[in-house]
Amino acid sequence: MKFLELAKTFDELEAISGRTEITKKLAHLLKTASWQEAAIICYISLGELRPPYEGTQFNLAEKSLIKVVSDLLGYTQEEIKKELAKISDLGQLIGNYNWHPKEDLSIIDVYKELETLENISGGKSQEEKAAVVKKLLKDLDPISAKYVLRIILGKIRIGFSDMTIIDALSWMQEGDKSLRHKLEDAYNRCADIGYIAKILKKDGIEAIEKMGCIVGIPIRPAAAERLPTAEAIVEKLGDCIAQPKLDGFRLQIHVDKTKSKPMVKFFSRNLKDMSDMFPDLVDAVLQLNVETLICEGEAVAYDPNTGQFEPFQITVKRKRKHDIEEMAVDLPLKVFIFDLLYLNGREYLADTHEERRTKLLSIFKSVKDDKIQAIDEVKIKTGQQLLDYFNSMIGQGLEGVVVKRPDAIYTPGKRNFNWIKLKRQEKGHLEDTLDCVVLGYYYGKGKRASFGIGAFLVGIYNDRQDAFETVAKIGTGLKDQEWKELKKKCDSISIGKRPHNVECSKELYPDVWVNPEIVCQIRADEITRSPLHTADKTEKHLGLALRFPRIMGYRSDKSAFDATTAKELTRLFEDQKKK
DNA sequence: TCTGTCTGCCCC
DNA sequence: ATTCTGC
DNA sequence: GCAGAATGGGCAGACAGA
């Protein structure tokens, strides 16, 4: 199959909004393809070359590709950037130009070329990569070039993703969605969509039905919903159980002790292989009384002197490729196991939480090493009980609690109310927001590009410096219409350059500066020390920033100088440290 | 060797 | 991570 | 409610260039 045929189909798909219509068209494409081609189509539709746990990394993205595109089209980088501000992305941009393609490349040709691109590394590699991309784009026609660029950027953004591919595979085979559940079950157990497509095309649905969990291949993780209060959660679940929510990273742990050399693998929430990053956990995992095992837990770093859990900013330093052994000494990890998915050749996905919990505890009986332990769990009957438990967890410096339905099975790949998280806000109450001042805005991508705004910069007033200092960028919380309105408002008070009384790192300079006068309510989960933001920044310490910031509304009754002050923000930060 | 910039289906 | 939107 | 697509702070890694 020619790459152009694929690109043309993508172009058609991009224009369709109806899910069923997209699915049918995709099904037709997959039917036409060979099984090798179908697998490749699955991967590149997701902006990947392989399943997530094998990884795809070009180390080349927008900034570098702007150079390639400007070079190719014979414009300056400034001219390209100017046009980029108006339209959605580089792919779209290049697709609007015209040239005569030199080659008529197949899907497999392009795939091989992308693999080549991935494998270039070392000194001068950026130059080499640029040359390879330029040649590839030149050889291709504009429509194909558009999608090749989007693949390298990691997102093709044509309104479908993995679950639509699963649907399309059903349509491809049966002409309806009757195989959806079987295919989804297989995909949830083996997160390699290209492999699913290949097996279905080669061996049929019978082979798909036989697929189960494989130790060493990640299962798509279940996720928790969020509710604002303890009461709402108990109302929703009735009698339930609660576990501490630790602020580290989620690990899916795979163990196979039946091999001559025991295997231990760790996968991230996004199914990345992190197996080499935690050599200090391997021995602890091998103490578990199992032959084969897949379980899930949360890993958190702690201070070896005090035993205190470290904040996420510290824990995340353990996600690294170099100096692993040294960091394991300075920042030891503990991992708290909260679920069991597979044990000694048997799946536990369809067992209830209670049954999985019992089985999980049984494998911890003889484990001495507290580097790995089963997470605590308490029974909850009332909202008050849950609130008390939540408060005691917050008191211990944890992120909150996760509440679970005791009779629920494990639903891989799904976010639902079987699990509900209750998290600490910056002070613990819903009404808790900061009043911040809009300092400027940024152009957006995709749909936001058509609004002319994708995010905005906010700050607070520091009376000691008589200046506005930045505390967050906001990219979520407004409706489409509200984004348009904010842009209009900003344009009416825009100014050509940074006002003298705004302190801002260069990396955060907005595309359009505005006079500091719009006051908005910002909610966040936490205040952190920031290497970039300037709020409360002094020679002695870093500034402050907001974790997970979002806008809740405006404070038109307030002037910019009446907004939250640096002093107040510092106070909130200090209070938060005290619990 | 040091520093700044860009990148990451990154982690959250 | 949070949030919004079309289906 | 699902699936998808917008967007956040901040870390280490990979290079380029001084």
Side-chain angles (χ1 to χ4, degrees):
Chain A
M1 187 185 286
K2 297 296 177 194
F3 191 86
L4 178 58
E5 189 183 339
L6 176 64
K8 278 182 176 166
T9 308
F10 281 167
D11 236 20
E12 289 167 21
L13 288 168
E14 191 177 14
I16 305 172
S17 66
R19 173 129 270 98
T20 317
E21 204 183 332
I22 290 176
T23 310
K24 285 184 190 172
K25 206 164 199 51
L26 194 54
H28 180 259
L29 176 74
L30 290 167
K31 192 158 195 164
T32 319
S34 70
W35 63 259
Q36 291 97 335
E37 290 166 340
I40 291 177
I41 291 170
C42 289
Y43 295 134
I44 69 182
S45 294
L46 304 179
E48 297 288 315
L49 300 184
R50 282 175 288 281
Y53 50 91
E54 288 176 14
T56 304
Q57 194 151 336
F58 294 105
N59 277 323
L60 190 76
E62 185 154 7
K63 294 282 164 62
S64 315
L65 291 174
I66 286 174
K67 288 183 198 163
V68 177
V69 170
S70 54
D71 194 21
L72 180 70
L73 298 176
Y75 289 90
T76 65
Q77 287 183 43
E78 279 60 42
E79 286 168 322
I80 295 293
K81 281 180 190 164
K82 207 169 175 184
E83 210 175 330
L84 260 185
K86 282 181 250 158
I87 60 170
S88 56
D89 68 336
L90 263 177
Q92 186 70 52
L93 188 150
I94 200 168
N96 290 343
Y97 286 82
N98 236 318
W99 64 88
H100 294 293
K102 291 207 181 109
E103 312 261 353
D104 191 16
L105 298 175
S106 69
I107 291 178
I108 292 174
D109 293 333
V110 172
Y111 185 85
K112 282 184 181 155
E113 224 21 56
L114 290 171
E115 280 191 316
T116 307
L117 180 66
E118 229 191 335
N119 289 326
I120 301 170
S121 66
K124 299 269 180 190
S125 63
Q126 289 295 304
E127 227 171 279
E128 252 183 87
K129 280 177 194 250
V132 168
V133 176
K134 190 177 163 188
K135 176 169 188 312
L136 178 59
L137 296 177
K138 239 178 173 171
D139 286 348
L140 291 164
D141 59 280
I143 300 176
S144 298
K146 170 178 174 181
Y147 290 100
V148 163
L149 274 183
R150 287 189 178 178
I151 291 164
I152 298 171
L153 289 165
K155 277 183 180 172
I156 60 164
R157 291 210 317 258
I158 43 183
F160 75 87
S161 187
D162 52 354
M163 297 321 288
T164 306
I165 296 176
I166 293 293
D167 266 344
L169 288 171
S170 174
W171 279 88
M172 171 190 85
Q173 201 78 351
E174 286 292 305
D176 59 35
K177 56 179 188 177
S178 60
L179 300 183
R180 157 78 191 233
H181 283 297
K182 288 173 182 173
L183 287 162
E184 192 177 347
D185 280 349
Y187 178 52
N188 283 335
R189 286 167 174 74
C190 170
D192 181 347
I193 202 157
Y195 181 74
I196 301 288
K198 168 184 154 181
I199 293 297
L200 181 65
K201 278 189 89 89
K202 270 182 76 180
D203 308 320
I205 193 68
E206 299 77 19
I208 295 287
E209 284 180 87
K210 282 186 200 140
M211 287 178 61
C213 299
I214 299 167
V215 180
I217 300 210
I219 296 166
R220 298 182 65 237
E225 278 289 355
R226 192 171 178 171
L227 282 176
T229 64
E231 200 160 326
I233 293 175
V234 172
E235 197 175 311
K236 182 111 188 162
L237 294 187
D239 286 3
C240 52
I241 66 94
Q243 301 175 341
K245 187 174 196 311
L246 304 169
D247 196 7
F249 33 73
R250 186 167 174 175
L251 292 182
Q252 190 176 108
I253 304 175
H254 290 229
V255 187
D256 187 346
K257 290 208 264 185
T258 67
K259 296 188 169 180
S260 56
K261 183 170 181 272
M263 178 195 82
V264 176
K265 283 189 178 234
F266 302 102
F267 297 100
S268 75
R269 181 203 176 87
N270 293 321
L271 309 178
K272 296 288 151 196
D273 191 337
M274 303 176 92
S275 300
D276 296 330
M277 294 179 194
F278 314 113
D280 48 327
L281 293 181
V282 171
D283 283 345
V285 167
L286 287 173
Q287 284 185 38
L288 295 173
N289 182 23
V290 300
E291 285 182 352
T292 55
L293 170 74
I294 303 175
C295 64
E296 281 192 306
E298 188 84 4
V300 196
Y302 62 95
D303 183 328
N305 300 313
T306 65
Q308 282 284 332
F309 288 137
E310 297 283 7
F312 181 75
Q313 263 173 303
I314 302 296
T315 296
V316 78
K317 289 174 189 280
R318 288 296 309 269
K319 182 180 159 288
R320 64 196 300 123
K321 271 170 83 171
H322 305 309
D323 306 319
I324 289 173
E325 300 285 352
E326 294 90 321
M327 287 304 278
V329 175
D330 296 342
L331 281 179
L333 287 175
K334 282 184 183 172
V335 56
F336 294 85
I337 306 300
F338 58 77
D339 219 323
L340 174 103
L341 311 184
Y342 184 95
L343 176 65
N344 298 335
R346 177 188 180 305
E347 280 183 23
Y348 282 84
L349 300 180
D351 292 66
T352 67
H353 173 82
E354 283 175 323
E355 290 162 342
R356 301 199 306 278
R357 174 78 184 175
T358 305
K359 208 74 196 171
L360 177 65
L361 293 179
S362 77
I363 64 173
F364 274 92
K365 273 182 192 151
S366 56
V367 177
K368 289 268 166 56
D369 195 338
D370 74 347
K371 260 189 261 183
I372 186 166
Q373 43 192 298
I375 202 161
D376 286 340
E377 174 172 316
V378 298
K379 286 197 166 71
I380 298 291
K381 282 186 182 298
T382 67
Q384 188 58 49
Q385 278 176 0
L386 181 56
L387 186 59
D388 291 344
Y389 184 63
F390 172 78
N391 284 331
S392 77
M393 291 303 114
I394 298 301
Q396 290 173 40
L398 306 186
E399 201 190 6
V401 297
V402 183
V403 191
K404 299 183 175 181
R405 199 189 283 278
D407 59 353
I409 62 167
Y410 187 93
T411 49
K414 292 275 180 259
R415 181 183 301 277
N416 56 39
F417 287 95
N418 289 342
W419 295 355
I420 305 176
K421 59 187 162 184
L422 182 60
K423 297 215 310 186
R424 129 174 78 76
Q425 308 281 133
E426 68 269 18
K427 257 165 58 188
H429 296 292
L430 258 184
E431 297 71 24
D432 244 2
T433 53
L434 301 172
D435 296 324
C436 299
V437 186
V438 178
L439 302 174
Y441 71 85
Y442 307 86
Y443 306 135
K445 295 204 196 301
K447 178 152 70 164
R448 296 272 176 92
S450 65
F451 302 165
I453 180 173
F456 57 98
L457 179 68
V458 298
I460 50 155
Y461 181 64
N462 187 331
D463 54 1
R464 283 170 302 216
Q465 314 290 328
D466 187 25
F468 291 95
E469 299 171 335
T470 73
V471 72
K473 276 162 76 183
I474 312 293
T476 192
L478 293 181
K479 310 253 202 297
D480 287 0
Q481 183 58 32
E482 293 172 323
W483 281 108
K484 292 178 196 169
E485 286 161 8
L486 178 60
K487 144 115 172 130
K488 209 176 202 178
K489 183 99 191 278
C490 283
D491 285 343
S492 74
I493 55 169
S494 72
I495 41 187
K497 59 174 202 171
R498 178 173 64 88
H500 65 280
N501 62 343
V502 170
E503 293 295 328
C504 181
S505 314
K506 281 229 165 55
E507 298 92 326
L508 288 166
Y509 274 20
D511 292 314
V512 178
W513 290 100
V514 307
N515 197 47
E517 59 184 77
I518 305 172
V519 180
C520 54
Q521 284 182 292
I522 302 298
R523 177 181 290 166
D525 278 17
E526 195 180 5
I527 302 165
T528 57
R529 281 286 165 207
S530 164
L532 216 51
H533 285 285
T534 50
D536 187 47
K537 183 176 175 175
T538 66
E539 283 179 356
K540 280 188 177 167
H541 56 69
L542 300 172
L544 295 172
L546 306 180
R547 191 180 187 200
F548 310 140
R550 58 265 198 198
I551 179 169
M552 306 305 289
Y554 294 98
R555 290 299 302 264
S556 46
D557 56 313
K558 280 199 170 182
S559 87
F561 300 97
D562 304 328
T564 302
T565 62
K567 224 176 272 176
E568 287 165 352
L569 184 68
T570 310
R571 176 69 178 279
L572 287 172
F573 177 65
E574 296 297 332
D575 284 354
Q576 170 189 280
K577 276 199 289 194
K578 284 182 224 148
K579 291 155 212 174

